[in-house]
Amino acid sequence: MDANPSSRNLDAAKQLHSRLEGYRLHVSESRSRYQTMLQDDLRVLDRPGPPNVAEADASAQMEFVKKLKFKYLEEYSKDKYIKYIVNDDPPEITAADNDKLQAANVPRKEALKTKKIQLAERWSDLKSLAPLVEQDYQKARNLANEVVAHAKDNFDSRLSLFRLRQTYPQPRYTVATAEEKLTVQVDEMQAVEDERQQGAQRVAEKKDKLKAAAKDVDRLRTERADLEQQVRAQSRNKGDDDEINALYEWYTNALVFHRSLMGLEDSHSVSENELCLAYNIYPLLNRKNQVKVTINLIFFPNSRQLANVQIQGIDGVDTEALTNNYMHANDVPGLIWAVISRARRQARL
């Protein structure tokens, strides 16, 4: 057993120090953590937000400060205790030292009490003013939203005005020129309305004439039917004429041959002055390709003068150029032959 007590105390102090180093009792690390958290809280408080968030932030900070204060006192006491142990001649603590510390703590306690009272007053003021600040904040927020909306409307209006100016460049109408233009347009509209009424009157007159002509046509048809009946009756009384029957048979066969030669499939009258001819054209010595052509011949009313021709079924051909000369010459057979020739040429391709 070693006789030197100081060496034993030194060894014990070294062992205690090594054990304390093993624990995580680092005040500097706690201080840095506190500074980091404090800076984060300050950054959060600097952000715009509702004032009622300040109460929760203040409560959390007070709780953190209390824990930090308790931790500091604990570390400070342990540090003082270690220093007293490892010191060879620990200082003596007398009643005078305690009285001196008590006298020094009295003004500190008074100051702390004053600070607590001020803090409570500030806290009550904060609670009473927080709703008012919240209302002002909401008003400011609504005003900011209104400003943004008005700015957007202003921008949209300016953009619409810019588009109108681009669509309608200079020179633009003034009020006087616009009224003058309106007057001219009203006169033009009145003139057009008069022409329309005159046209409607002419159409009504044409309809009346057409009705009268239709009545005449019905009357003529009736007379024709009566005459045909009389002719049949006379022919039955006189007997069949062999020469007429032979001519009729020859004409019928010639008509059938002509229709087959020209490829005429159908012919009918669309109206009194319009004839529709439908052809099915085959190329010579080839019955595979076929071209269906429709020719509408339109004549002037009550005349045999060709007025217009409508051709369907021929692709890639300027029908107006093809039929223009024949129309001016009123050559209906030549026109039909030209169209059929062009259709046969197309069927060979």
Side-chain angles (χ1 to χ4, degrees):
M1 187 174 181
D2 193 1
N4 191 357
S6 61
S7 61
R8 291 198 302 270
N9 293 333
L10 182 59
D11 295 335
K14 289 180 178 180
Q15 292 177 2
L16 181 61
H17 180 70
S18 62
R19 291 176 61 187
L20 289 175
E21 287 293 334
Y23 295 112
R24 300 187 62 183
L25 302 175
H26 302 287
V27 180
S28 61
E29 183 180 358
S30 299
R31 182 179 179 183
S32 62
R33 289 175 57 195
Y34 170 70
Q35 292 293 336
T36 304
M37 294 180 66
L38 183 61
Q39 292 177 2
D40 294 338
D41 293 337
L42 289 176
R43 283 196 297 271
V44 171
L45 289 176
D46 289 338
R47 297 174 185 172
N52 54 9
V53 183
E55 183 176 358
D57 294 337
S59 301
Q61 290 180 5
M62 290 178 66
E63 187 69 24
F64 178 75
V65 169
K66 288 180 181 180
K67 292 181 180 180
L68 186 62
K69 181 180 178 182
F70 178 77
K71 193 73 175 177
Y72 173 76
L73 293 176
E74 182 180 3
E75 295 295 332
Y76 180 75
S77 301
K78 288 182 179 180
D79 184 63
K80 295 290 288 183
Y81 178 72
I82 292 171
K83 287 181 180 179
Y84 280 125
I85 291 177
V86 300
N87 195 2
D88 294 336
D89 295 326
E92 294 182 359
I93 300 175
T94 60
D97 295 333
N98 292 330
D99 293 337
K100 186 178 180 180
L101 291 174
Q102 186 69 24
N105 288 333
V106 169
R108 295 177 181 175
K109 289 182 179 180
E110 293 294 335
L112 180 62
K113 186 176 181 180
T114 304
K115 294 292 184 180
K116 287 183 177 180
I117 293 172
Q118 293 177 357
L119 181 61
E121 291 176 356
R122 294 289 181 86
W123 188 253
S124 62
D125 293 339
L126 180 63
K127 286 184 177 181
S128 60
L129 294 176
L132 300 178
V133 175
E134 178 69 19
Q135 293 178 1
D136 294 340
Y137 172 77
Q138 293 295 336
K139 289 180 181 179
R141 188 174 181 180
N142 295 332
L143 289 175
N145 294 332
E146 291 180 1
V147 169
V148 172
H150 288 314
K152 185 177 180 300
D153 294 338
N154 187 13
F155 179 76
D156 293 338
S157 300
R158 292 175 62 185
L159 183 60
S160 300
L161 182 60
F162 177 76
R163 288 175 177 173
L164 287 174
R165 288 177 178 175
Q166 292 295 325
T167 306
Y168 304 100
Q170 295 287 351
R172 300 186 182 90
Y173 286 114
T174 61
V175 176
T177 55
E179 290 180 353
E180 183 179 358
K181 184 70 174 178
L182 179 61
T183 304
V184 174
Q185 289 180 352
V186 169
D187 295 337
E188 292 177 355
M189 291 174 64
Q190 185 63 38
V192 172
E193 180 65 21
D194 295 339
E195 292 180 0
R196 188 190 66 81
Q197 291 179 359
Q198 293 176 1
Q201 186 177 0
R202 288 196 296 269
V203 170
E205 294 175 356
K206 294 293 183 182
K207 285 183 178 180
D208 294 337
K209 292 181 180 180
L210 183 62
K211 289 180 180 178
K215 290 180 180 179
D216 293 337
V217 170
D218 292 337
R219 180 178 58 80
L220 293 174
R221 285 177 180 174
T222 304
E223 293 178 358
R224 179 181 177 181
D226 295 338
L227 292 174
E228 288 179 352
Q229 288 180 0
Q230 293 177 6
V231 170
R232 293 193 191 96
Q234 292 177 2
S235 63
R236 283 196 299 270
N237 294 329
K238 294 180 180 179
D240 295 331
D241 191 354
D242 296 335
E243 186 178 358
I244 293 176
N245 291 331
L247 290 174
Y248 175 76
E249 185 177 357
W250 173 83
Y251 178 75
T252 304
N253 295 329
L255 184 61
V256 171
F257 177 74
H258 176 75
R259 292 172 70 94
S260 63
L261 180 64
M262 301 298 293
L264 181 63
E265 289 188 347
D266 185 20
S267 62
H268 63 278
S269 297
V270 179
S271 61
E272 292 183 356
N273 61 331
E274 183 176 356
L275 177 63
C276 180
L277 303 176
Y279 291 91
N280 193 1
I281 306 301
Y282 294 94
L284 297 176
L285 303 178
N286 187 0
R287 309 294 290 181
K288 294 182 180 180
N289 298 329
Q290 62 178 350
V291 177
K292 292 184 178 181
V293 180
T294 302
I295 304 174
N296 291 337
L297 301 175
I298 302 174
F299 299 88
F300 287 104
N302 300 325
S303 67
R304 295 184 179 181
Q305 182 66 33
L306 190 62
N308 191 10
V309 178
Q310 297 178 357
I311 302 173
Q312 298 178 357
I314 301 178
D315 299 332
V317 177
D318 188 1
T319 58
E320 184 176 357
L322 180 62
T323 61
N324 194 13
N325 295 328
Y326 296 100
M327 286 180 59
H328 287 295
N330 198 25
D331 186 4
V332 177
L335 187 146
I336 295 175
W337 181 255
V339 174
I340 292 174
S341 299
R342 188 64 186 86
R344 285 176 178 173
R345 191 181 306 121
Q346 182 177 350
R348 287 197 299 268
L349 296 179

